[in-house]
Amino acid sequence: MKTVLISGGGIAGTALAALLSRRGFAPTVVEHAPALRGGGQAVDIRGAALEVAGRLGVLAQARAHRTRMRGMSVLDGDGREVHRSTESTISSGRLDSDDIELLRDDLVRILHERAIAEGNTRFLFGDGVTALDQDEDGVRAHFEHAAPHRYDLVVGADGLHSAVRRLTFGPEEHFAHHLGMHLAIFSSDNFLGLEDWQLWLRDGEAGYGVYPVRDNTELRITFGFGGEPLPHGRRGPESQKAVVAERMAALRWETPRLLKALAEAPDFYCDTMTRIRMDRWSHGRVVLLGDAGYCASPLSGQGTSLALVGAHVLADALARSDGDHRAAFASYEERLRPFVELNQALATENPGGPAAEESVERAKSAISLDG
């Protein structure tokens, strides 16, 4: 039974663990967080990714946890409604679509349960990879806390700031392309009293989206603002909160209450909107998956679908390769790269908002899972 270390317990890594376990591999997932990560934005399962969810056996659960928005309002800087829709929302697209919008933490939990049910997956929380020593026969991984261990293969599914990518391919700045925006996401009580309705406000280079979740008991709040990446010294959570509050302070309407919620937020995430572009996604016995290898940024709306489809294509390639990881990685990249490029392009198609509906429709299904 081939052993595979997967760095990253998010959507990409957990989906891959379930798919590999089903195919007779023995995956170990190492995740920095002490448990499954809570919080985060609503994410979308679209096009080919719906088929992946079906093959994983989680499609019904995903549908049961989908958001139930009735529509949205777009507001000017003073909170006056300038547009209203009951047909689509900025976060999910058309409300009558077969695509599924659900919370990131719900999807990760569903995938984690699926991986556990498959039987061969081990999860190692509260730890991370610090070094990788590979040779012709395997990879010796070193960890922050656990003892070193040898694996047949290593998969970096550890996100935009991937440690596996840095250790194997070099510094992040060689592959990262900043898109001029930052995103901050956090949770709060539903102090606005929203009922299955989204609000979006923008004034200049800053704005936010607010929508209720958990049967309208909670808000997920997304702040966005322009500018260059934050300096390394301001990347801790409290420092980031201060920067976000500073950049959003000029906005009006409910901004003071939203900033109070930011200060008190039990969960908080902030990062640049960045694309990762690489000439290759594998080196020896190490391969990258999802945002680690081809982040499209949340501006594309397709990060989750890229993660799920990428996990399926990689697992399928490894299962078909008869132990030849070089052939598997080459097949994975050949099949997936055109799909990745189409979906990455969505992030910059429309600088003022989401990509056109026809572009999303074309990109989300631009791959056959069976090759």
Side-chain angles (χ1 to χ4, degrees), residues 44 46 72-74 88-93 101 198 200-201 353-354:
D44 299 287
R46 293 173 166 152
M72 68 169 184
S73 297
V74 178
S88 65
T89 67
I90 288 175
S91 67
S92 69
E101 181 186 67
Q198 295 187 359
W200 296 88
L201 179 148

Side-chain angles (χ1 to χ4, degrees), residues 341-362:
E341 291 175 351
L342 268 177
N343 283 280
Q344 282 191 327
L346 297 175
T348 53
E349 179 181 289
N350 177 18
E357 185 178 332
E358 56 268 27
S359 298
V360 176
E361 288 296 315
R362 179 173 64 253

Side-chain angles (χ1 to χ4, degrees), residues 72-83 90 179-183 198-210 222-227 247-248 250-255 258 273 299 347-355:
M72 68 169 184
S73 297
V74 178
L75 314 177
D76 68 12
D78 293 309
R80 292 186 293 258
E81 186 177 79
V82 295
H83 174 70
I90 288 175
L179 300 180
M181 292 290 296
H182 295 75
L183 188 73
Q198 295 187 359
L199 299 176
W200 296 88
L201 179 148
R202 183 169 181 173
D203 192 3
E205 285 198 338
Y208 45 76
V210 184
T222 302
F223 283 165
F225 56 91
R247 300 292 179 90
M248 305 302 290
L251 296 180
R252 302 178 297 282
W253 191 56
E254 291 283 1
T255 301
L258 293 171
M273 296 296 94
L299 294 174
T348 53
E349 179 181 289
N350 177 18

Side-chain angles (χ1 to χ4, degrees), residues 105-125:
D105 41 355
D106 284 342
L107 179 56
V108 170
R109 177 181 51 78
I110 290 167
L111 292 170
H112 180 264
E113 291 170 355
R114 181 72 263 162
I116 293 295
E118 292 293 343
N120 293 329
T121 301
R122 173 181 176 236
F123 283 88
L124 180 62
F125 288 102

Side-chain angles (χ1 to χ4, degrees), residues 56 86 122 143 150 155 160 162 176 184 218-219 242 256 261 278 292 324:
L56 272 165
T86 55
R122 173 181 176 236
F143 301 95
R150 192 170 176 83
V155 179
L160 173 60
S162 168
E218 182 183 314
L219 296 178
M278 305 182 69
D324 185 349

Side-chain angles (χ1 to χ4, degrees), residues 213-225:
V213 298
R214 309 286 187 223
D215 294 324
N216 297 311
T217 63
E218 182 183 314
L219 296 178
R220 293 289 164 97
I221 301 165
T222 302
F223 283 165
F225 56 91

Side-chain angles (χ1 to χ4, degrees), residues 147-165:
H149 195 82
R150 192 170 176 83
Y151 300 89
D152 294 311
L153 302 170
V154 173
V155 179
D158 42 355
L160 173 60
H161 305 298
S162 168
V164 171
R165 185 186 61 230

Side-chain angles (χ1 to χ4, degrees), residues 132 134-135 139 153-154 164-165 167-169 278 280-288 325-326 329 333:
L132 296 169
Q134 63 170 309
D135 54 38
V139 186
L153 302 170
V154 173
V164 171
R165 185 186 61 230
L167 292 169
T168 308
F169 295 91
M278 305 182 69
R280 67 185 194 280
W281 300 329
S282 67
H283 177 70
R285 291 177 171 268
V286 179
V287 66
L288 302 177
H325 65 276
R326 294 180 181 85
F329 293 164
E333 183 157 344

